[in-house]
Amino acid sequence: MQFHIEGMDCASCVGKIEAALVRMPGISDVRLNFATEKLELTLASGSATQPGDIETIIKSLGFGVSVAADQSATAGSVSEIPAASASLRWWQTRRGRQVVGLGILMGTAYAMALFFPDYGQWVFAAAVLAGVFPFVRQALTLARAGSPFSIEMLMSVAALGALFIGEAEEAAAVVFLFSVGELLESVAAGRARAGIRALASLVPQSAVLLDPQGGQRNVPVAMLHVNDRVLVRPGDRLPADGVIIEGASSLDESPITGESIPCAKALGDSVFAGSINIEGVLQVRVGKTTADNTISRIIHLVEQAQASKSPTARFIEQFSRYYTPAVMAIAALTVLVPPLAMGADWDTWIYRGLALLLIACPCALVLSTPAAIASGLAAGTRRGLLVKGGNALEIIGRVNAIAFDKTGTLTEGKPRVTDVVAFGQQNHDEILSLAASVESGSSHPLAQAIVNHARAANILIPAAAQASATAGKAVHATVAGRMLAVGSPVYAVGVATLSSEQFAQIETLQNQGKTVSVLLDEQNRAALGLLALRDEPRQDAQQALSRLKAMGVRTIMLTGDNSRTAQAIAHRLGMAYKAELLPQDKLRLLDEMKYKDKVAMVGDGINDAPALATADVGIAMGGGTDVALETADAALLKNRVTDVAHLVALSRATMANIHQNVVFALGLKGVFLLTTVFGFTGLWVAVLADTGATALVTLNALRLLRFKGTPGI
């Protein structure tokens, strides 16, 4: 059976649901995917457990549940998260309404306490009861389902204990802060799932299907079958993986390979769904159905990576496994043992036991981590470092290996002219002028790079006439009466005679990882010169890598580009590299690295999305695609590689602050716990222990706002 689950905010939610389901008779093979909100399980025939029982237990845990509409979901359909839940604003959700309601009650209580002191506590008490009720119910359900010491149990006991001894304001603050934290996690989880929906949108919804007689009709992409023929016009996205059976063109495959330079494609070449056809008209024979195409596989990879990733559980949740039962046991023993064993006064020891519960109030402890995280996130945002939550910020500081994509990450993502070589009587400026003239009518990235380079050099670009193109091979034009062309070396060999020296120059430039275009005089069948282009490293890339090395972080470049280009860039930056990688190859290498290292991945392309999700932490360049930004755990909004080092430094500073806060929170509580048990301090000191610890951790966390980045860059 398959169910859609709503309201899962973190990986611990998965554990709560699974722990409850495995205790139910007849249920096995429970698989819960946090990213897609899908639950799959096997229900034995004839079992006493019915589907309605499954829905009831999940709802009692505080989650929404419905039977999945499609019980045979494929990789292409699992991303179809119900539109109703995806479109809700935060204040329209159950948790949003709860936070707004509690906020109104808190504000009313403070106003009542100010103007009508005798009634203020009653409004605080109402806020506590209204806010804590769902958590109490959830805590009791979790206890029956096998999770007795959940964070909901800790918060409920602390809030009700504070209310019982007359500290309604304190209890209301605890409930409100906890509710806000749950809401923020819910919003973050929704943003994370948006990446999968963005991936699915890359494939067009319809395709032009060709029948055997050559007729054309628009059909939904989902209706395409293997061996169907589809027409792909200039500007269209390919609707399916397949093979070209007619036509030639240049395709922008950046959605798949991440490389910025379009690839020439002709008869018999394989093409991928989601690629953009730039110039020629193509007929493609469908090779894979929608559920199996490249984009669907990438979607599936992202979902798998997000499902298998285990983010660091919230500190208080982990600690409460020991903290909650220990404190509750100490409080119970404090109330019972002296009166029963020694005939002590019940009122005195009940008072002390309740004081211990107040000392155990998790307000300072709950704030110890979020206060530091909030300050760290604010400091990062000022520097253009966007981090999606505390888990990511914590992990970044622990990474000791970072994998970088090449194009658009370590490099600028745009080809630039690096060399102009003149043959014969021509000079450098003449070659650039003529080539720019021929390319002036083309929208190809290489053509635009040549034209922009000529303009930047203030070189006159003469007018061209009779411009045309041989798809994927060359651009032609008549300039000052001369029939010229700018084409690939392969095209040049077919229309001109190249000397061995010219061949050697072409090979030298290509060995440097550069794309070579040849300026040709087609009438005289002669090569006039060469133009070499390459996507150059960002200006700050080498500085960033050096700083990371000094911080004890090793780096490697993972790219789908050819080995020669990758080697040239990696050698220039002084780093290791792996080239000619498909998305699944990057995942394999990252998995290998994760066996011995805590790994971060930095990328910007759609093809990087699975790798960003697979790494312990994914970091996207701010100028990258929406999918990369949604899938990643952090984004560098200013598009600077040096910000990777700043991000690591910020994370390490934040973690140090968190450790200090935990010591403050638990240290003060430990001291006053002992003094309360022995009667040296009373209830008002217990309140001071909590509020004092809260003030300390807050002030300490605010120090992070002064973070200036990594020294020296």
Side-chain angles (χ1 to χ4, degrees):
M1 297 195 67
Q2 294 182 356
F3 297 85
H4 173 73
I5 309 297
E6 296 179 9
M8 292 190 298
D9 302 330
C10 60
S12 65
C13 297
V14 174
K16 292 173 183 176
I17 296 173
E18 289 178 343
L21 293 178
V22 295
R23 296 166 65 93
M24 300 179 71
I27 292 180
S28 60
D29 300 327
V30 178
R31 297 178 301 278
L32 185 54
N33 190 323
F34 169 74
T36 61
E37 300 179 290
K38 274 189 176 288
L39 166 66
E40 296 181 357
L41 56 83
T42 300
L43 181 61
S45 58
S47 170
T49 301
Q50 298 298 312
D53 299 327
I54 298 173
E55 294 186 33
T56 299
I57 190 67
I58 293 175
K59 288 179 180 178
S60 69
L61 295 175
F63 304 98
V65 59
S66 58
V67 177
D70 181 7
Q71 292 287 340
S72 60
T74 63
S77 62
V78 289
S79 62
E80 296 174 2
I81 298 171
S85 61
S87 62
L88 289 178
R89 302 292 186 181
W90 69 264
W91 59 83
Q92 297 173 315
T93 63
R94 175 177 56 84
R95 286 185 173 137
R97 292 194 299 269
Q98 182 178 4
V99 168
V100 172
L102 281 172
I104 293 172
L105 277 176
M106 291 282 285
T108 303
Y110 279 114
M112 291 284 289
L114 181 62
F115 296 105
F116 306 101
D118 293 339
Y119 298 98
Q121 290 299 309
W122 291 104
V123 185
F124 278 124
V128 173
L129 294 176
V132 83
F133 176 73
F135 296 118
V136 171
R137 184 176 59 183
Q138 189 175 358
L140 294 176
T141 303
L142 286 168
R144 291 193 298 268
S147 303
F149 299 121
S150 62
I151 191 172
E152 288 80 7
M153 179 67 76
L154 172 64
M155 193 278 300
S156 299
V157 173
L160 292 175
L163 180 62
F164 186 77
I165 60 174
E167 291 294 331
E169 181 179 348
E170 178 78 8
V174 170
V175 175
F176 181 70
L177 287 172
F178 187 82
S179 300
V180 170
E182 294 285 296
L183 174 62
L184 292 176
E185 284 189 348
S186 178
V187 172
R191 292 289 295 168
R193 296 184 180 105
I196 295 179
R197 293 194 295 271
L199 274 172
S201 69
L202 292 173
V203 179
Q205 298 299 308
S206 63
V208 180
L209 180 66
L210 298 174
D211 59 33
Q213 291 74 38
Q216 304 177 11
R217 60 190 177 97
N218 286 324
V219 298
V221 168
M223 291 182 60
L224 293 179
H225 298 90
V226 175
N227 292 326
D228 280 350
R229 290 191 306 150
V230 294
L231 182 70
V232 185
R233 296 159 297 200
D236 287 350
R237 285 187 182 271
L238 269 70
D241 288 5
V243 176
I244 296 176
I245 57 176
E246 186 175 315
S249 183
S250 292
L251 297 185
D252 176 4
E253 294 186 337
S254 59
I256 311 302
T257 66
E259 299 310 316
S260 58
I261 298 177
C263 297
K265 297 287 185 177
L267 184 67
D269 287 339
S270 297
V271 292
F272 304 107
S275 302
I276 302 171
N277 183 19
I278 293 180
E279 45 201 19
V281 177
L282 300 176
Q283 289 188 22
V284 176
R285 184 175 65 247
V286 176
K288 295 178 181 177
T289 62
T290 302
D292 295 325
N293 66 34
T294 304
I295 294 295
S296 292
R297 291 202 308 273
I298 292 178
I299 291 172
H300 187 59
L301 289 172
V302 172
E303 291 173 346
Q304 281 187 323
Q306 291 183 336
S308 63
K309 182 188 288 187
S310 299
T312 304
R314 292 174 298 181
F315 171 79
I316 189 64
E317 177 101 27
Q318 294 291 333
F319 189 74
S320 67
R321 293 181 181 179
Y322 309 99
Y323 179 79
T324 306
V327 171
M328 293 178 70
I330 292 172
L333 291 173
T334 300
V335 170
L336 298 174
V337 171
L340 293 177
M342 298 176 288
D345 179 61
W346 278 99
D347 289 344
T348 299
W349 289 98
I350 289 175
Y351 178 86
R352 292 181 183 180
L354 293 178
L356 287 181
L357 282 180
L358 187 56
I359 291 173
C361 175
C363 189
L365 195 57
V366 166
L367 279 175
S368 62
T369 299
I373 292 294
S375 295
L377 295 178
T381 302
R382 292 178 181 178
R383 294 194 59 88
L385 312 176
L386 177 63
V387 185
K388 298 180 181 178
N391 285 332
L393 187 59
E394 179 180 348
I395 294 173
I396 290 168
R398 300 207 307 264
V399 301
N400 48 15
I402 298 181
F404 288 87
D405 176 48
K406 179 181 74 68
T407 305
T409 301
L410 290 172
T411 66
E412 296 178 352
K414 298 178 181 179
R416 296 184 181 276
V417 176
T418 59
D419 302 86
V420 178
V421 179
F423 297 149
Q425 302 300 316
Q426 309 291 330
N427 61 40
H428 171 284
D429 288 354
E430 290 174 337
I431 296 299
L432 186 55
S433 174
L434 293 174
S437 178
V438 175
E439 298 277 25
S440 59
S442 173
S443 60
H444 194 285
L446 293 180
Q448 293 180 343
I450 292 172
V451 173
N452 291 337
H453 186 71
R455 288 173 178 167
N458 293 320
I459 291 177
L460 179 65
I461 302 177
Q466 299 177 332
S468 63
T470 301
K473 297 180 179 180
V475 177
H476 314 270
T478 300
V479 182
R482 303 170 69 181
M483 296 175 57
L484 304 178
V486 176
S488 67
V490 174
Y491 176 80
V493 169
V495 300
T497 302
L498 301 180
S499 67
S500 58
E501 181 182 353
Q502 291 170 341
F503 273 119
Q505 288 177 296
I506 292 173
E507 186 176 2
T508 298
L509 293 170
Q510 289 179 330
N511 287 337
Q512 295 172 359
K514 299 173 182 177
T515 300
V516 179
S517 295
V518 185
L519 176 63
L520 301 163
D521 185 332
E522 293 192 293
Q523 188 171 1
N524 296 320
R525 300 179 61 83
L528 303 179
L530 307 176
L531 297 98
L533 302 93
R534 187 171 66 185
D535 184 11
E536 292 292 273
R538 294 177 184 269
Q539 292 182 354
D540 65 339
Q542 190 159 9
Q543 184 185 18
L545 298 176
S546 298
R547 184 56 188 163
L548 287 170
K549 183 178 180 181
M551 298 170 72
V553 180
R554 67 183 186 91
T555 58
I556 184 172
M557 180 175 70
L558 306 181
T559 179
D561 209 344
N562 65 77
S563 295
R564 288 189 300 188
T565 300
Q567 183 181 24
I569 298 296
H571 179 73
R572 182 169 172 181
L573 296 176
M575 66 187 306
Y577 75 95
K578 295 286 185 180
E580 300 180 6
L581 303 176
L582 293 174
Q584 55 266 36
D585 298 325
K586 292 184 180 182
L587 296 191
R588 175 179 53 80
L589 289 171
L590 286 170
D591 283 333
E592 292 174 1
M593 293 172 65
K594 286 169 66 177
Y595 276 113
K596 56 182 179 180
D597 293 309
K598 185 71 71 173
V599 181
M601 174 70 195
V602 185
D604 74 318
I606 293 167
N607 66 300
D608 297 322
L612 292 172
T614 296
D616 293 301
V617 60
I619 303 171
M621 300 299 287
T625 64
D626 290 340
V627 175
L629 294 177
E630 294 290 354
T631 307
D633 302 295
L636 311 179
L637 301 183
K638 295 183 180 179
N639 247 9
R640 299 184 303 207
V641 187
T642 49
D643 280 344
V644 177
H646 291 315
L647 198 56
V648 174
L650 175 63
S651 173
R652 292 179 179 179
T654 303
M655 289 310 301
N657 194 281
I658 288 173
H659 296 154
Q660 295 162 4
N661 283 349
V662 171
V663 171
F664 290 153
L666 295 182
L668 278 177
K669 289 180 180 294
V671 169
F672 287 111
L673 184 147
L674 293 175
T675 58
T676 300
V677 169
F678 290 106
F680 297 120
T681 55
L683 190 60
W684 70 272
V685 177
V687 176
L688 181 63
D690 185 66
T691 55
T694 301
L696 275 177
V697 300
T698 303
L699 292 173
N700 187 52
L702 291 176
R703 295 189 305 110
L704 284 170
L705 295 176
R706 299 199 300 267
F707 177 79
K708 300 298 183 183
T710 304
I713 58 175

